[in-house]
Amino acid sequence: MTQIIKAGEKNLIEVFSDSYLFNIPLYQRPYAWTVEQVDELLDDLLNALEHDPQAPYFLGSIVLIKDEHHPASAVVDGQQRLTTLTMVLCALRDLTIRDKDRTNLDAFVKQEGNELKGTKDQFRLRLRDRDRTFFEEHIQTRGNIDRLKEGWAGQSDIQKRITDNFTRIAETLKPLTDSLRVDLAQFIVRKCFLVVVTATDRDSAYRIFSVMNDRGLDLSPTDILKADTIGNLEESEQLSYGNIWETIEERLSRDNFRDLFTHIRMIRLKTKMRQTLQADFLQHILTESTGGDFIDHALVPYAKVYETVLDCSYESTHYAEEVNKLLSYLRRLDNSDWIPPAMAFLHKYSDNYEKVVKFTRDLERLAYALFVSRANVNERIKRYALVLNEVEQGDDLLLPNSPLQLTSKEKHDVRQRLDGEVYTWVAVARRVIMLRLDSLVAEAEAGARYDHRVVTVEHVLPQNPMEDSKWVKLFPDEDERYAWTHRLANLVLLSRRKNASASNWDFEQKKRAYFEHGGVSVFALTTQVLGESEWTPAVLERRQKNLVDLLAKEWRLV
């Protein structure tokens, strides 16, 4: 069959006509527009109507799979706009006073059957099976706008979003005069245009979809993968697998769901991404199994362990608290490259709690070693790929030559970095290391752990003390003073923004007015400083050795 692709600019009189019967395939992502996006659309429409009601207004593009001789149109892209525009037309219809206007507007929502044409009564837009009946009964059917205050029980999250948006549309349009509402309706159907792109086959439609995605529209690679994964299944399986897919996406959030696919790609291919995510899946991963097999044996189990990693929620009869604590430390890092090995191991050995705790200890050690040494993304991916290989092959990851373990040189280099000028690292790196160190001090002193929204790293001995200050008397040797300024021993954590005016205060004043909060410090590291009666090179030397030794013992750097 010849593949035909057409594109044309059409106003809504043509779009919501008998030429199209829009259907949202069940493998599509659910309706996702927020109230803020609805507000923006309504504001734009009303402003355009007020400014120049005769000027055409462009609403964007939609992509359809459609036979040119039949109205049935599967929506590949444009569901959000078509659904929201339908809600606007429904609200205008129900709020309009004259029956004639209501009937005219209803014609854009519902096709009236005609025996001579061989058509039947049906709504012009049909949502996915999960939301179709709800949308038809509560939005598309006339007269429901008066029932908004009653609420509709038993809604899913998507249906609640639809209800919230329809409510906002009604609240915005109701204060307008009836004349203005009719003018708005005329403007929408006559002067608002969509570029309608139709393709007679699915591959062509999704090629167009991919190009539009690459040009910055709000589309996700997982939407394309969903079509290829579920769209090729038997129709009897599409609904159940579509429900599984969407449940996972809703549970994880859209961004985390995309990241899940990135991590699965790394687990399977063990290489840095060289092309698009969807290309790697289509060429290397989905070719190995059917869509159903991929969902059953990859997406579902990996989503489960990914949630465990994200939420630090490993469950077992032993070591669960330690594993989750280590996961929380890993989550502080400025990269997520360690996640695929964690997912792969938990997927394979989740029930073996002794293996899990030993692996997580060593993964946290390796990840922080790479973090401290500031290994670049290529170095990290190469190292974690080696770990993934051993996980897959079932090798002993505790052997000294395992890529999960640190070499003698790596141990030495990490310790040297920790003993150096930590404050000169990038801000996120020094803060993460200080928090990790604080957790060790808190555990050693049986203290509590804290999680604060604002965490800053501050010097005790200031970076640029005044020449007549006590600091210069305590550290008369300028080279020695500078050598200590940025090292671990001289740094503390605060749970508030820095106070520039406090930086040069003397030691006692800083302790009383700056390092304490409500009479105490919330960080164990800072509490240690409060316990010191003076701040001298000897104190710093003792403190530096203790702190570096604490990290070295935790990460076995000796």
Side-chain angles (χ1 to χ4, degrees), residues 49-64:
L49 173 64
E50 180 181 6
H51 179 69
D52 189 352
Q54 298 307 313
Y57 184 82
F58 180 58
L59 288 167
S61 305
I62 60 174
V63 180
L64 312 172

Side-chain angles (χ1 to χ4, degrees), residues 189-409:
V189 299
R190 294 179 186 178
K191 296 299 180 181
C192 290
F193 289 79
L194 287 166
V195 170
V196 180
V197 183
T198 61
T200 52
D201 66 289
R202 189 169 59 86
D203 290 341
S204 297
Y206 276 95
R207 240 187 348 263
I208 298 165
F209 181 90
S210 300
V211 170
M212 293 173 71
N213 185 44
D214 289 341
R215 291 180 181 176
L217 296 186
D218 186 22
L219 308 173
S220 168
T222 56
D223 298 327
I224 302 171
L225 292 174
K226 183 179 183 182
D228 280 275
T229 304
I230 298 175
N232 289 323
L233 294 174
E234 295 293 330
E235 190 171 343
S236 60
E237 296 181 299
Q238 287 188 4
L239 179 59
S240 61
Y241 279 113
N243 286 337
I244 293 170
W245 185 289
E246 290 167 16
T247 298
I248 293 172
E249 183 174 10
E250 289 179 16
R251 197 169 67 233
L252 285 176
S253 84
R254 190 160 172 78
D255 289 341
N256 284 335
F257 189 65
R258 186 195 184 284
D259 290 342
L260 170 63
F261 277 78
T262 302
H263 298 321
I264 293 175
R265 191 213 70 86
M266 179 62 184
I267 292 169
R268 291 288 183 85
L269 302 185
K270 304 172 184 67
T271 59
K272 184 179 180 180
M273 197 180 299
R274 303 294 181 187
Q275 51 185 352
T276 64
L277 178 64
Q278 59 265 34
D280 272 347
F281 264 86
L282 295 176
Q283 294 173 22
H284 304 293
I285 297 176
L286 293 178
T287 55
E288 299 175 1
S289 59
T290 66
D293 287 339
F294 169 74
I295 293 172
D296 288 335
H297 301 118
L299 185 62
V300 170
Y302 280 127
K304 181 179 179 181
V305 294
Y306 186 41
E307 281 188 283
T308 297
V309 170
L310 288 178
D311 299 336
C312 306
S313 57
Y314 176 68
E315 295 180 357
S316 73
T317 55
H318 296 78
Y319 303 120
E321 183 178 0
E322 182 177 357
V323 169
N324 291 326
K325 182 172 61 179
L326 291 165
L327 288 173
S328 72
Y329 299 151
L330 283 162
R331 294 274 285 133
R332 290 175 180 165
L333 297 177
D334 62 352
N335 69 84
S336 59
D337 300 319
W338 57 272
I339 291 181
M343 287 172 55
F345 197 89
L346 284 172
H347 175 47
K348 191 169 187 177
Y349 299 110
S350 184
D351 294 334
N352 191 328
Y353 52 80
E354 290 186 353
K355 275 183 175 287
V356 169
V357 71
K358 289 177 181 178
F359 172 83
T360 312
R361 282 177 193 151
D362 287 352
L363 180 63
E364 192 256 359
R365 175 194 188 215
L366 172 62
Y368 268 82
L370 295 173
F371 178 77
V372 169
S373 63
R374 304 313 291 161
N376 63 42
V377 63
N378 293 322
E379 293 169 330
R380 295 195 304 268
I381 288 178
K382 183 178 179 180
R383 184 63 168 269
Y384 290 130
L386 295 173
V387 175
L388 282 166
N389 268 321
E390 291 209 343
V391 173
E392 187 175 284
Q393 295 166 14
D395 295 340
D396 188 350
L397 292 158
L398 301 182
L399 293 176
N401 62 346
S402 167
L404 184 63
Q405 305 304 320
L406 300 181
T407 66
S408 296
K409 183 179 185 307

Side-chain angles (χ1 to χ4, degrees), residues 85-144:
L85 287 169
T86 296
M87 287 195 281
V88 172
L89 292 171
C90 289
L92 286 168
R93 174 199 63 196
D94 288 359
L95 289 170
T96 300
I97 294 174
R98 296 194 309 171
D99 286 341
K100 184 177 180 180
D101 292 329
R102 291 191 179 192
T103 300
N104 289 338
L105 278 162
D106 198 42
F108 292 99
V109 177
K110 187 176 182 180
Q111 173 185 276
E112 185 176 348
N114 186 312
E115 291 185 5
L116 295 177
K117 293 181 181 180
T119 60
K120 60 181 181 180
D121 288 350
Q122 57 184 314
F123 292 109
R124 300 195 183 281
L125 173 66
R126 303 180 74 210
L127 296 195
R128 306 167 317 138
D129 285 353
R130 294 181 74 175
D131 307 315
R132 181 176 300 160
T133 301
F134 176 87
F135 195 69
E136 290 178 351
E137 292 181 354
H138 299 299
I139 307 298
Q140 290 171 299
T141 299
R142 292 174 67 167
N144 279 305

Side-chain angles (χ1 to χ4, degrees), residues 388-548:
L388 282 166
N389 268 321
E390 291 209 343
V391 173
E392 187 175 284
Q393 295 166 14
D395 295 340
D396 188 350
L397 292 158
L398 301 182
L399 293 176
N401 62 346
S402 167
L404 184 63
Q405 305 304 320
L406 300 181
T407 66
S408 296
K409 183 179 185 307
E410 286 172 334
K411 294 176 188 177
H412 175 268
D413 290 348
V414 170
R415 180 160 186 147
Q416 286 292 102
R417 285 273 293 168
L418 293 170
D419 202 21
E421 296 183 351
V422 170
Y423 191 83
T424 62
W425 300 357
V426 295
V428 64
R430 65 179 179 244
R431 184 170 59 250
V432 167
I433 289 301
M434 290 292 290
L435 284 168
R436 185 66 180 95
L437 182 57
D438 187 77
S439 68
L440 293 175
V441 173
E443 289 174 4
E445 299 180 357
R449 294 191 302 275
Y450 303 91
D451 184 18
H452 294 283
R453 185 175 61 85
V454 176
V455 177
T456 60
V457 179
E458 175 64 292
H459 296 84
V460 181
L461 166 65
Q463 299 182 67
N464 299 296
M466 305 294 290
E467 290 185 6
D468 58 348
S469 69
K470 292 183 179 180
W471 292 117
V472 173
K473 294 177 182 178
L474 291 170
F475 293 84
D477 187 311
E478 185 175 354
D479 290 338
E480 183 181 41
R481 184 171 71 241
Y482 181 82
W484 280 116
T485 300
H486 298 313
R487 295 171 75 186
L488 284 175
N490 190 51
L491 304 177
V492 293
L493 289 168
L494 300 178
S495 59
R496 58 189 181 279
R497 302 293 180 192
K498 293 183 179 184
N499 181 351
S501 64
S503 61
N504 284 314
W505 290 349
D506 64 39
F507 185 51
E508 285 301 322
Q509 186 179 10
K510 267 193 174 182
K511 284 201 302 181
R512 290 192 313 270
Y514 192 25
F515 292 165
E516 293 182 343
H517 185 70
V520 296
S521 168
V522 294
F523 293 104
L525 274 172
T526 313
T527 299
Q528 282 189 334
V529 174
L530 294 174
E532 299 288 348
S533 59
E534 59 181 0
W535 203 251
T536 64
V539 170
L540 286 168
E541 187 170 353
R542 164 175 53 82
R543 179 173 166 78
Q544 181 74 9
K545 182 179 185 308
N546 290 341
L547 295 178
V548 173

Side-chain angles (χ1 to χ4, degrees), residues 143-163:
N144 279 305
I145 205 162
D146 295 327
R147 298 174 50 216
L148 284 175
K149 291 183 179 179
E150 301 173 16
W152 296 311
Q155 299 175 52
S156 68
D157 288 343
I158 305 306
Q159 292 164 4
K160 186 177 186 304
R161 181 173 295 131
I162 290 170
T163 301

Side-chain angles (χ1 to χ4, degrees), residues 70-84:
H70 300 284
S73 307
V75 179
V76 174
D77 177 44
Q79 173 196 177
Q80 311 298 324
R81 280 182 286 275
L82 289 171
T83 305
T84 307

